[in-house]
Amino acid sequence: QTRLVQSGGESVKPGGSLRLSCAASEYRGSSICMAWFRQLPGKEREGVAAIYMDGGNTYYADSIKGRFTINRDEVKNTAYLQMNALKTDDTAMYYCAADDCPAGFYKNWAQYRYAYWGQGTQVTVSA
């Protein structure tokens, strides 16, 4: 059973940076895709970024383009979300997700129903 373990969330001032990590353990598939989502209380979950772990193609939500970067360490089976120029609107619970890469992932990564989810990490951006 694949497990996702997240780390890295905390509080930061506007304009600051944070890096979240998501380590996938015991993955037995052939090609894993990973993504980051965020959610505010009472609001729908929003896809933030996604990556093909094998190859490294990346995809981003328009709301964070140019500020957030998703990358990976294939050896460690870990995905990272580097968040720069953080705004108060970025405050949310952040979750990583993973699954065997589905067909059409490049266009449906934000809507795809992932099999595996991390425990969530709170990111608070406040002056």
Side-chain angles (χ1 to χ4, degrees), residues 24-40:
S25 62
E26 301 178 41
Y27 177 69
R28 297 289 181 260
S30 59
S31 181
I32 186 172
C33 283
M34 299 182 76
W36 288 96
F37 289 79
R38 65 186 183 185
Q39 188 168 25
L40 287 166

Side-chain angles (χ1 to χ4, degrees), residues 29-126:
S30 59
S31 181
I32 186 172
C33 283
M34 299 182 76
W36 288 96
F37 289 79
R38 65 186 183 185
Q39 188 168 25
L40 287 166
K43 295 202 172 182
E44 289 189 6
R45 188 173 56 204
E46 173 192 20
V48 175
I51 188 168
Y52 280 96
M53 294 295 279
D54 180 15
N57 287 6
T58 57
Y59 309 94
Y60 296 94
D62 289 341
S63 60
I64 55 82
K65 274 183 182 176
R67 299 189 298 120
F68 292 10
T69 302
I70 186 171
N71 51 33
R72 91 285 192 210
D73 183 327
E74 286 184 271
V75 173
K76 296 180 180 179
N77 237 9
T78 298
Y80 303 94
L81 185 67
Q82 177 66 44
M83 304 184 291
N84 298 327
L86 281 160
K87 306 174 181 179
T88 55
D89 288 350
D90 295 318
T91 296
M93 184 70 79
Y94 284 72
Y95 297 91
C96 66
D99 207 335
D100 296 336
C101 293
F105 180 75
Y106 71 97
K107 60 182 178 180
N108 66 10
W109 62 268
Q111 294 78 37
Y112 181 70
R113 295 170 69 91
Y114 294 83
Y116 310 108
W117 288 85
Q119 79 275 21
T121 302
Q122 179 65 39
V123 170
T124 301
V125 185
S126 174

Side-chain angles (χ1 to χ4, degrees), residues 10-34:
E10 59 184 86
S11 295
V12 67
K13 292 184 177 180
S17 298
L18 286 174
R19 189 177 81 154
L20 306 182
S21 300
C22 177
S25 62
E26 301 178 41
Y27 177 69
R28 297 289 181 260
S30 59
S31 181
I32 186 172
C33 283
M34 299 182 76

